[in-house]
């Protein structure tokens, strides 16, 4: 059995002398050529409105509308409206796959980008609940206790920085293809537009949803998901050392989030402490590797993707009982391999009853 596992994990298994197998995460183990990753195809879209209600259409899709005046800097104040025009989503509410399942007739997998960055991550762990139901593995993210604590104890400064990220979107996007941004409106973080994409990594077919900030119908890539643009804010960079550090620790997350669903461009707004934006910079997702390949201590996209493929093989190996009430909870903390626990029934079950009944009926 052990050698089967060896083969399946690409030669990177680890079985402790007691307990179930665990998946190691060291980058060196995954440093091989880039695996096959099919160009993601959009198979669905949905929107969540100001009350976080689901709509199976693109009503919340916004349109990229960069400012006409950029000199000396774009006329943005990212702190504007923080006190009086800000409606925050209840981040404590657990949604899981609810929205994705609603719109899908057939569903394969679902998962989020942070698995990719695991070999390089030093701070934040993750928890993924996994169930096998009618031959399909479902993966749903859970908040870790540490993340929950951080969220509940977020400092005032961090709360304002979070707002600024959303406010940047308001300055860069219009509600209609020919419109202009309206920075006087309310920032409501319940609102979201999501693309549902189908793709394949190695031998694993994947289906997942990703939140998308805007589309650029006039850009070089007209088709979704390549027409989408991810908007990000970042502290202003003052030195080459700060830029290297940005490439190492931040760009990896931006890349992972956009590469998986096939979003082709990321536009960054570099902000000063007063909330103004001092520079805009576009990163082409597919060209990010060029910025980091000469730095030997930097991350490698192939390592991220190979790890992800090994993780999916690990899931398939471990989760073999077809039962929507059985959850394997895969947990990872920096400095450790990926491990799991089994739970039958109870709080970790995430496939909604209505979904299980519909699919069984
Ligand atoms: P920035 O991207 O400018 O940091 P996204 O970039 O994924 O579209 O998210 C929009 C904004 O949501 C982010 O802006 C950030 O302010 C906030 N945000 C995203 N993920 C977050 C997280 N894990 N914790 C706190 N805020 C987050
Ligand atoms: Mg977003
Ligand atoms: Mg964004």
């Amino acid at each position: 059995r052990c050698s089967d596992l060896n083969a399946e994990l690409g030669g990177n298994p680890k079985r402790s002398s007691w307990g179930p197998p665990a998946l190691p995460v060291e980058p060196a183990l995954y440093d091989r050529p880039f695996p096959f990753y099919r160009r993601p195809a959009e198979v669905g879209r949905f929107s969540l409105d100001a009350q976080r209600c689901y709509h199976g259409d693109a009503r919340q899709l916004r349109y990229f509308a960069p400012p006409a005046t950029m000199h000396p800097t774009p006329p943005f104040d990212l702190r504007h409206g923080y006190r009086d025009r800000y409606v925050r989503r209840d981040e404590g509410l657990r949604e899981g796959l609810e929205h994705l399942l609603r719109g899908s007739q057939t569903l394969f997998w679902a998962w989020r980008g942070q698995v990719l960055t695991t070999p390089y991550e030093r701070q934040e762990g993750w928890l993924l609940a996994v169930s096998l139901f009618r031959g399909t593995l479902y993966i749903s993210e859970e908040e870790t206790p540490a993340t929950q604590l951080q969220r509940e104890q977020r400092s005032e400064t961090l709360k304002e920085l979070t707002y600024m990220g959303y406010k940047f979107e308001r300055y860069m996007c219009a509600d209609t293809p020919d419109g202009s941004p309206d920075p006087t409106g309310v920032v409501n973080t319940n609102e979201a537009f999501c693309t549902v994409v189908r793709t394949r990594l190695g031998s694993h077919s994947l289906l997942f949803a990703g939140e998308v900030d805007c589309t650029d119908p006039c850009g070089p890539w007209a088709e979704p998901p390549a027409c989408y643009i991810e908007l990000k804010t970042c502290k202003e960079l003052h030195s080459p050392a700060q830029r290297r550090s940005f490439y190492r620790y931040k760009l990896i997350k931006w890349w992972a989030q956009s590469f998986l669903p096939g979003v082709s461009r990321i536009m960054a707004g570099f902000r000063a402490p007063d909330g103004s934006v001092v520079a805009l910079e576009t990163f082409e997702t597919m060209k990010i590797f060029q910025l980091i390949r000469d730095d030997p201590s930097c991350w490698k996209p192939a390592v991220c993707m190979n790890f992800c493929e090994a993780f999916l093989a690990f899931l398939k190996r471990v989760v073999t009982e077809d039962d929507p009430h059985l959850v394997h909870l895969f947990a990872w903390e920096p400095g450790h391999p990926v491990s799991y626990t089994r739970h039958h029934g109870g709080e970790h079950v995430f496939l909604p009853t209505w979904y299980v009944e519909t699919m069984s009926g």
Side-chain angles (χ1 to χ4, degrees), residues 82 89 98 111 178-179 189 204 213 219 225 236 286 328 341 349:
Y82 175 55
R89 173 168 80 87
E98 185 79 23
W111 105 102
D178 305 316
T189 62
H204 312 289
D213 291 334
E236 176 184 10
M286 299 295 278
H328 283 77
T341 48
V349 170

Side-chain angles (χ1 to χ4, degrees), residues 154 161-163 165-166 169 211 213 230-233 257:
R154 210 176 283 167
L161 284 178
T162 303
Y163 174 80
Y166 290 111
E169 299 174 359
E211 195 264 336
D213 291 334
E230 172 59 44
L231 301 168
K232 290 286 181 196
T233 58
Q257 185 184 349

Side-chain angles (χ1 to χ4, degrees), residues 1 3 5 13 55 69 80 91 97 104 108 152 184 190 208 225 265 275 278-279 283 310 339 357:
R1 264 199 82 189
S3 62
L5 191 67
H55 301 276
T69 3
H80 179 251
E91 291 166 39
L97 300 186
S104 306
F108 305 89
E152 287 164 359
T184 66
N190 287 299
F208 54 86
R265 277 177 292 168
V278 294
F283 297 92
S339 60
E357 283 172 359

